[in-house]
Amino acid sequence: MADQIPLYPVRSAAAAGHKRAAYYSSAGPGPGADRRGRYQLEEESAHLDEMPLMMSEEGFENDESDYHTLPRARIARRKRGLEWFVCGGWKLLCASCCDWLINVCQRKKELKARTVWLGCPEKSEEKHPRNSIKNQKYNVFTFIPGVLYEQFKFFLNLYFLVVSCSQFVPALKIGYLYTYWAPLGFVLAVTITREAIDEFRRFQRDKEVNSQLYSKLTVRGKVQVKSSDIQVGDLIIVEKNQRIPSDMVFLRTSEKAGSCFIRTDQLDGETDWKLKVAVSCTQRLPALGDLFSISAYVYAQKPQLDIHSFEGTFTREDSDPPVHESLSIENTLWASTIVASGTVIGVVIYTGKETRSVMNTSNPKNKIGLLDLELNQLTKALFLALVVLSVVMVTLQGFAGPWYRNLFRFLLLFSYIIPISLRVNLDMGKAAYGWMIMKDENIPGTVVRTSTIPEELGRLVYLLTDKTGTLTQNEMTFRRLHLGTVSYGADTMDEIQTHVLSSCTQVALVRWTESVGLTLVSRDLSSMQLKTPGGQVLTYCILQVFPFTSESKRMGIIVRDESTAEITFYMKGADVAMSSIVQYNDWLDEECGNMAREGLRTLVVAKKALTEEQYQDFESRYSQAKLSLHDRMLKVAAVVESLERDMELLCLTGVEDQLQADVRPTLEMLRNAGIKIWMLTGDKLETATCIAKSSHLVSRSQDIHIFRPVTSRGEAHLELNAFRRKHDCALVISGDSLEVCLKYYEHELVELACQCPAVVCCRCSPTQKAHIVSLLRQHTGRRTCAIGDGGNDVSMIQAADCGIGIEGKEGKQASLAADFSITQFRHVGRLLMVHGRNSYKRSAALGQFVMHRGLIISTMQAVFSSVFYFASVPLYQGFLMVGYATIYTMFPVFSLVLDQDVKPEMAILYPELYKDLTKGRSLSFKTFLIWVLISIYQGGILMFGALVLFEAEFVHVVAISFTALVLTELLMVALTIRTWHWLMVVAEFLSLGCYVASLAFLNEYFGIGRVSFGAFLDVAFITTVPFLWKVSAITVVSCLPLYILKYLKRKLSPPSYSKLSS
């Protein structure tokens, strides 16, 4: 068989045979070697390393000689030595060193298992952490250093700190201290204030939680105690609707059944209530005070992350014989959950940092937008230009005198090339975009949780989405029942009525049985009653319950019929889990496939009759396994599995999960915008494929390549080569096959998958989802967005460049962890096409304009110094510089955040406009260079114009050039704007008014150099006609050519959006 599968299409059959022989002959001599098992042969990784995956179509046509010389793709890509160090290796080294230092400084105490005596905290052998919640980032001592570090790790801010500090050196002093320290101080004050407010709010929230009062049971009765003062071993009473303050073992409840319900949505994001069972030994005690009359302790495993498992034992010593009871997850009450029924009493086993909820709280990484990184690069380019310009100036001076001091003075004079107002403007812009998103009536309920990355929404190339609850409604409708010989559908059986349900498959089935007359009368921990259509009441005694887990994918119950004493074991679960458990049949797999193709979620139900002896034998082994302290989970699972054999297949059910509103048009819009959509789901392959088709994630005409299940490297190799030959088809792959391919052919798989129009990954675990996101980011360097609605999507959302959470049926965990929270999937379209696009284009324009504002004044300073024999004397003094960056130009420049090239309706109608943004053309070295050239031209014209036209009134050159500069900036803003807003007009006239009004107060600043030569601003002079026409002439020469060029460009080569807006 193996030699009939050509690995590559080649020129001729002879060549193919020759190549195959060359490969297979390495297995051993003789013709029989060709026939060895294909997978056995291909497991030999030495040969597989020699057998590369072809990396291009042309590769298929290569000669046999190339076969062994092509290196594996990813080996060739590794950087070594100095190249690695320069290309980011140094960052990695620094990070590793810092992590090592932090680990050394914060050596964590080793977590150990513990014995907790009821009501006796003093018997505790070890010191346990305080039961206080602390969500603050800093403390009193680390606040200022921490905030300053976060600010000065940016090149821009660090540069300004150095420049400002240099003004304390008399030889380097250029102007007044406040001209440097005021802007820097303002930026830091805003940042520190914002952080302080956030920190104070966190402190208040923590204080509120830590000072909540609880009843603690003591020998003398109940006493009130603060949450933060609770200790391991305390007996705590928690009332209905009260938060559980620490991790406890459930001892007693006011409910007669000995059980209670708790809400866990704040812990795991799931909205369904969980049933918890009290320890039977303590629940049976006559009175509450009797807890102190017994000698008992709880043995608990060491604190760990897993919120779905717990192993422990309860022991009562003073009875004869001693009572041992095994404790599992159903006997625990985790902190941060809420009691939903009754009053509960528990013994505290873990506090503070050791509780499950705190251990599962990870500090999400600070996300930095691509635009910020690009601007940081441009800042470094500007710094380089600054150094070059200063060196040129000193060289032209002829290195006269203390040249190194002059060099530093020039560096300070031209420091406005890099504007400190850049960060202020961008941060204020981001806040404005966030406010606009939340105020948009078309996407109500949208919340911006991370205000630093709204521009990322305009740069997305990959959108990774969950299926259940994100594309679908997570509302189940009962559709089909198959009994082996006959299949009932909603349309063929009158009694089957469809019911829309809120939680899951099980509720759909219970409601349906009620509609056909079988009703659940009552149910407690030990018994249940059912009423038949004929009115007969059946009573069952519940002997054992095996809850559902994501590993087992099934749940079971053992009941005894009270009337006949028959013992029956019922089980239901996913088809993958159940197909190996039920007796052989010829219809289950086929019908599961049929239902999945209809988009239904399947559930298999089976039963097994047990004799009294079989059950007693099982119970003794089960109890023994539950008491073991080591590998309890494995031992319990093994005992239960001994029952799960040869079960009688009862039926197969199918429920439908309907699509959310407007999913199809939204996905189509995103596809037209050039965004590649990947669906990552835990559901089975057929259901995922069906939803992909019905939601139009994969278009009807498109081919689908279903990646065959692979378990070894050889199989993965063959399957990847088969996939390579397909063109323009969607890929469907399961989590297991994905794992194998990523292990051996990571780069090749990602490269192939990225060429697909759509990808569906089914049977994915939460960690696999996050891993796929990380791989896409690493391999493509493109921006990714993850969207989901459940706790299982949190890791994927946090791993992506931009995370969107939907407030769904599964709780709020995803929406709380995300950067943006929405209420419906269809809102994604407007969020990206309108707000994402606008945020990116506005920030790009704003950033470059602020840089232009700094460059133009530095050009004027360079011209001024050149005319004055390269003297390092400032052109503009003190307040003029501060005023220029703030009151005179700030409002018009910032009003660019209101600019838009097309109306929102147009952006949604033509999603193709979004495609342009992913290339990053709004802010690139090309656009930056254009702005640099504009700045040099305008700065040169303004300064030379002032010097040429005002030779007679030379002392007035500062007043003239500065007035022309302010007017030029206001006109440039008007030139940049594409759609006028009334606030923009107000900003322009307000700034002009402020400048004219301030002329009366700032006369002493309009002289040249340190001394003003008595050249105070003469109000009579600035009102003369010559002054007015000369200033106007300079301004017109600096701006008019740019207006003409802009007009010609729009006429000859209009941008895509202008074609629509016209």
Side-chain angles (χ1 to χ4, degrees):
M1 179 65 195
D3 56 354
Q4 289 168 10
I5 301 172
L7 275 174
Y8 308 105
V10 284
R11 290 193 188 94
S12 67
H18 187 49
K19 279 188 181 180
R20 253 197 322 279
Y23 166 51
Y24 284 115
S25 61
S26 60
D34 280 16
R35 303 284 173 194
R36 280 175 67 189
R38 160 173 120 201
Y39 303 137
Q40 175 196 348
L41 178 72
E42 286 169 355
E43 272 303 287
E44 297 169 15
S45 59
H47 299 313
L48 279 159
D49 275 337
E50 293 296 314
M51 184 181 74
L53 274 164
M54 291 298 182
M55 293 311 290
S56 68
E57 274 301 322
E58 296 80 60
F60 287 129
E61 300 299 320
N62 281 336
D63 278 83
E64 172 195 5
S65 56
D66 302 331
Y67 198 74
H68 296 285
T69 54
L70 269 168
R72 294 261 302 288
R74 49 178 188 283
I75 294 173
R77 281 173 171 73
R78 280 184 195 143
K79 296 186 173 87
R80 300 193 179 279
L82 189 64
E83 189 192 357
W84 173 82
F85 186 79
V86 172
C87 295
W90 62 275
K91 281 186 186 173
L92 208 64
L93 279 175
C94 292
S96 304
C97 293
C98 291
D99 288 345
W100 178 79
L101 270 172
I102 289 166
N103 286 338
V104 168
C105 299
Q106 300 181 338
R107 276 263 162 82
K108 283 187 180 170
K109 186 184 80 172
E110 192 189 346
L111 300 172
K112 292 178 183 170
R114 59 196 58 187
T115 300
V116 180
W117 291 84
L118 267 57
C120 304
E122 64 280 356
K123 282 194 184 179
S124 185
E125 297 150 19
E126 286 194 27
K127 197 179 172 205
H128 300 295
R130 279 191 75 218
N131 191 45
S132 58
I133 287 176
K134 186 174 183 293
N135 287 312
Q136 290 158 258
K137 282 190 194 171
Y138 313 101
N139 58 34
V140 178
F141 303 106
T142 59
F143 178 71
I144 295 293
V147 174
L148 292 180
Y149 167 73
E150 285 296 325
Q151 284 305 300
F152 292 123
K153 72 180 181 185
F154 276 102
F155 176 77
L156 190 69
N157 293 359
L158 185 65
Y159 163 76
F160 268 102
L161 181 68
V162 174
V163 167
S164 302
C165 289
S166 69
Q167 291 303 287
F168 290 114
V169 181
L172 301 175
K173 195 169 181 206
I174 294 270
Y176 298 105
L177 275 177
Y178 68 78
T179 60
Y180 290 92
W181 281 99
L184 184 65
F186 176 72
V187 174
L188 290 179
V190 167
T191 307
I192 289 172
T193 307
R194 190 177 63 201
E195 273 296 330
I197 290 168
D198 286 350
E199 194 69 357
F200 182 66
R201 282 180 183 155
R202 280 193 282 268
F203 166 73
Q204 279 189 313
R205 279 201 298 269
D206 291 350
K207 189 179 173 187
E208 190 183 328
V209 172
N210 290 332
S211 16
Q212 278 179 355
L213 293 176
Y214 289 88
S215 297
K216 172 175 151 183
L217 207 60
T218 63
V219 183
R220 294 182 296 281
K222 294 180 189 175
V223 293
Q224 292 288 301
V225 60
K226 277 186 186 175
S227 172
S228 55
D229 295 335
I230 290 172
Q231 294 173 289
V232 170
D234 281 345
L235 297 177
I236 302 295
I237 301 170
V238 188
E239 304 290 339
K240 184 180 175 181
N241 291 329
Q242 206 175 6
R243 187 186 78 90
I244 293 169
S246 56
D247 287 358
M248 308 197 292
V249 165
F250 184 13
L251 299 178
R252 277 179 77 85
T253 173
S254 56
E255 301 284 289
K256 288 192 182 77
S259 64
C260 77
F261 283 99
I262 61 164
R263 297 203 302 269
T264 61
D265 52 335
Q266 297 303 312
L267 182 66
D268 59 12
E270 293 176 8
T271 51
D272 54 329
W273 293 5
K274 308 287 188 299
L275 181 74
K276 297 290 175 179
V277 183
V279 175
S280 57
C281 178
T282 47
Q283 178 66 24
R284 283 197 301 264
L285 293 173
L288 200 55
D290 293 341
L291 285 170
F292 287 98
S293 64
I294 63 169
S295 172
Y297 64 84
V298 167
Y299 171 82
Q301 65 180 158
K302 69 177 185 184
Q304 55 185 19
L305 282 166
D306 189 2
I307 57 173
H308 300 297
S309 71
F310 173 73
E311 290 177 15
T313 50
F314 174 88
T315 306
R316 181 176 174 182
E317 286 190 325
D318 57 351
S319 65
D320 190 26
V323 176
H324 296 287
E325 217 176 303
S326 86
L327 302 176
S328 67
I329 186 69
E330 63 179 16
N331 306 114
T332 58
L333 303 167
W334 294 148
S336 297
T337 57
I338 311 284
V339 177
S341 66
T343 301
V344 304
I345 295 99
V347 60
V348 176
I349 52 171
Y350 308 124
T351 52
K353 287 186 291 198
E354 293 177 347
T355 60
R356 293 290 205 270
S357 64
V358 174
M359 289 179 82
N360 275 284
T361 309
S362 59
N363 294 327
K365 62 181 189 337
N366 281 340
K367 293 185 180 180
I368 297 169
L370 186 59
L371 187 95
D372 294 324
L373 297 173
E374 288 169 345
L375 285 169
N376 212 33
Q377 293 301 101
L378 294 181
T379 309
K380 290 172 185 171
L382 286 173
F383 178 70
L384 205 65
L386 165 67
V387 173
V388 170
L389 184 58
S390 304
V391 170
V392 167
M393 285 293 185
V394 173
T395 309
L396 291 171
Q397 266 187 346
F399 292 100
W403 63 269
Y404 50 87
R405 196 184 72 186
N406 288 340
L407 176 68
F408 210 94
R409 281 177 67 85
F410 275 123
L411 282 172
L412 295 172
L413 274 179
F414 300 137
S415 64
Y416 281 94
I417 282 183
I418 304 173
I420 191 163
S421 53
L422 182 62
R423 280 300 300 279
V424 183
N425 276 292
L426 286 175
D427 284 356
M428 285 164 62
K430 288 173 198 287
Y433 308 142
W435 184 81
M436 288 174 198
I437 290 171
M438 291 199 275
K439 289 289 172 194
D440 189 342
E441 291 172 1
N442 293 294
I443 46 172
T446 303
V447 181
V448 178
R449 299 193 195 278
T450 307
S451 59
T452 53
I453 55 168
E455 301 92 357
E456 290 295 275
L457 293 170
R459 309 286 296 274
L460 302 176
V461 180
Y462 291 97
L463 180 79
L464 300 104
T465 172
D466 175 40
K467 178 181 76 73
T468 309
T470 305
L471 297 178
T472 62
Q473 296 177 17
N474 203 8
E475 289 185 351
M476 306 302 170
T477 313
F478 187 72
R479 289 289 184 202
R480 197 171 288 281
L481 175 67
H482 201 292
L483 301 171
T485 52
V486 61
S487 171
Y488 296 106
D491 48 351
T492 57
M493 184 178 170
D494 296 337
E495 300 103 293
I496 296 184
Q497 300 162 16
T498 57
H499 288 278
V500 175
L501 303 144
S502 59
S503 88
C504 61
T505 314
Q506 302 165 33
V507 186
L509 300 179
V510 172
R511 290 275 178 90
W512 175 73
T513 56
E514 186 184 14
S515 76
V516 294
L518 185 66
T519 322
L520 179 67
V521 179
S522 67
R523 158 90 149 83
D524 58 29
L525 284 178
S526 57
S527 68
M528 70 191 305
Q529 288 186 320
L530 299 175
K531 190 177 180 183
T532 65
Q536 185 188 354
V537 175
L538 307 174
T539 307
Y540 293 93
C541 176
I542 297 171
L543 301 177
Q544 297 287 350
V545 176
F546 312 113
F548 175 87
T549 65
S550 51
E551 288 78 34
S552 70
K553 294 187 172 60
R554 55 188 181 266
M555 64 187 297
I557 186 170
I558 300 179
V559 292
R560 180 189 278 122
D561 188 334
E562 292 286 320
S563 57
T564 61
E566 286 176 2
I567 299 175
T568 314
F569 172 34
Y570 290 98
M571 179 159 267
K572 66 179 173 65
D575 55 306
V576 280
M578 298 290 288
S579 56
S580 58
I581 292 171
V582 297
Q583 294 164 352
Y584 173 77
N585 62 81
D586 56 2
W587 61 270
L588 181 62
D589 288 346
E590 186 187 343
E591 281 306 320
C592 281
N594 291 341
M595 286 193 190
R597 278 186 285 279
E598 288 178 41
L600 303 180
R601 298 178 74 163
T602 53
L603 200 64
V604 178
V605 186
K607 75 168 186 176
K608 183 179 189 177
L610 301 176
T611 62
E612 189 66 43
E613 293 76 36
Q614 282 176 321
Y615 175 69
Q616 292 304 333
D617 170 54
F618 164 77
E619 192 188 29
S620 66
R621 287 184 296 125
Y622 188 59
S623 303
Q624 209 175 341
K626 285 210 299 187
L627 284 170
S628 63
L629 298 175
H630 301 292
D631 299 327
R632 180 188 294 178
M633 301 280 282
L634 293 171
K635 289 175 184 172
V636 168
V639 174
V640 176
E641 273 173 29
S642 69
L643 270 191
E644 297 170 348
R645 287 177 192 152
D646 268 351
M647 296 190 73
E648 182 191 338
L649 176 58
L650 288 176
C651 67
L652 174 68
T653 62
V655 294
E656 183 183 24
D657 190 359
Q658 294 172 329
L659 287 178
Q660 281 204 17
D662 292 338
V663 161
R664 292 186 185 104
T666 304
L667 288 176
E668 196 172 337
M669 182 200 296
L670 296 173
R671 251 206 321 273
N672 292 340
I675 296 173
K676 292 187 175 177
I677 303 159
W678 290 32
M679 185 167 88
L680 313 181
T681 175
D683 221 327
K684 65 175 81 64
L685 189 136
E686 292 85 0
T687 314
T689 311
C690 178
I691 294 289
K693 284 179 181 171
S694 65
S695 65
H696 294 183
L697 177 75
V698 178
S699 61
R700 295 276 177 197
S701 58
Q702 229 162 38
D703 282 341
I704 293 182
H705 176 81
I706 295 179
F707 205 88
R708 289 198 197 124
V710 296
T711 51
S712 66
R713 182 170 182 170
E715 291 177 27
H717 186 100
L718 289 172
E719 192 54 35
L720 279 169
N721 274 330
F723 175 45
R724 177 175 294 289
R725 297 188 198 110
K726 300 281 183 80
H727 292 287
D728 191 43
C729 70
L731 171 67
V732 179
I733 185 168
S734 70
D736 299 339
S737 303
L738 185 75
E739 204 67 34
V740 175
C741 292
L742 292 179
K743 187 176 175 185
Y744 300 113
Y745 297 114
E746 182 181 288
H747 184 88
E748 292 85 343
L749 177 71
V750 176
E751 187 189 50
L752 285 171
C754 288
Q755 292 165 7
C756 295
V759 176
V760 176
C761 299
C762 52
R763 295 285 187 215
C764 271
S765 68
T767 43
Q768 271 182 325
K769 288 183 179 184
H771 186 49
I772 292 166
V773 173
S774 307
L775 277 178
L776 270 180
R777 289 180 63 191
Q778 286 164 18
H779 283 269
T780 64
R782 301 295 194 141
R783 304 320 264 178
T784 59
C785 172
I787 176 166
D789 72 316
N792 58 341
D793 302 316
V794 169
S795 46
M796 165 174 85
I797 284 170
Q798 289 181 339
D801 295 297
C802 174
I804 299 176
I806 295 181
E807 284 190 22
K809 294 270 178 350
E810 294 182 34
K812 286 191 174 185
Q813 205 176 1
S815 83
L816 291 172
D819 305 304
F820 302 91
S821 166
I822 58 178
T823 53
Q824 290 181 357
F825 183 81
R826 61 179 175 160
H827 292 168
V828 173
R830 188 175 176 89
L831 191 64
L832 269 53
M833 300 303 120
V834 177
H835 294 289
R837 188 171 179 278
N838 283 345
S839 300
Y840 170 58
K841 295 204 81 154
R842 288 164 176 173
S843 279
L846 183 64
Q848 290 176 120
F849 204 94
V850 172
M851 286 182 175
H852 155 76
R853 198 169 64 180
L855 277 164
I856 193 169
I857 207 161
S858 298
T859 307
M860 292 172 75
Q861 177 68 57
V863 172
F864 178 76
S865 291
S866 307
V867 171
F868 283 90
Y869 308 102
F870 311 106
S872 51
V873 175
L875 170 61
Y876 299 129
Q877 284 293 330
F879 190 81
L880 287 187
M881 291 306 284
V882 176
Y884 171 66
T886 54
I887 195 163
Y888 300 150
T889 60
M890 182 175 77
F891 300 116
V893 171
F894 187 67
S895 71
L896 288 172
V897 302
L898 299 168
D899 193 20
Q900 60 179 31
D901 50 4
V902 292
K903 289 192 170 75
E905 299 75 37
M906 207 61 95
I908 289 172
L909 193 60
Y910 296 99
E912 291 78 10
L913 289 170
Y914 186 91
K915 214 181 278 189
D916 293 345
L917 306 190
T918 53
K919 296 167 186 151
R921 286 178 183 160
S922 299
L923 176 69
S924 60
F925 270 102
K926 181 188 167 188
T927 59
F928 173 64
L929 206 62
I930 291 168
W931 275 107
V932 170
L933 294 173
I934 290 172
S935 307
I936 292 171
Y937 165 74
Q938 289 188 326
I941 290 291
L942 291 173
M943 204 61 231
F944 278 120
L947 294 171
V948 169
L949 292 178
F950 289 93
E951 282 179 271
E953 309 98 348
F954 189 69
V955 286
H956 292 304
V957 74
V958 174
I960 294 144
S961 61
F962 193 77
T963 307
L965 173 66
V966 171
L967 289 173
T968 298
E969 280 299 297
L970 296 180
L971 285 171
M972 282 301 290
V973 171
L975 174 71
T976 309
I977 286 169
R978 289 163 295 209
T979 309
W980 282 89
H981 188 283
W982 66 270
L983 279 172
M984 295 172 172
V985 182
V986 170
E988 290 267 330
F989 284 109
L990 181 69
S991 297
L992 188 61
C994 286
Y995 178 65
V996 172
S998 65
L999 286 176
F1001 309 107
L1002 300 176
N1003 51 7
E1004 75 269 26
Y1005 289 109
F1006 285 98
I1008 299 171
R1010 196 56 64 82
V1011 186
S1012 292
F1013 305 132
F1016 292 113
L1017 186 66
D1018 186 355
V1019 178
F1021 167 70
I1022 63 163
T1023 52
T1024 58
V1025 173
F1027 172 82
L1028 294 173
W1029 84 254
K1030 286 176 180 179
V1031 166
S1032 304
I1034 295 169
T1035 310
V1036 166
V1037 174
S1038 76
C1039 291
L1040 191 63
L1042 297 173
Y1043 270 86
I1044 294 167
L1045 283 171
K1046 182 183 178 183
Y1047 176 77
L1048 289 173
K1049 187 173 184 292
R1050 274 192 82 112
K1051 277 288 172 197
L1052 303 172
S1053 168
S1056 50
Y1057 66 82
S1058 65
K1059 296 169 191 169
L1060 298 176
S1061 49
S1062 58

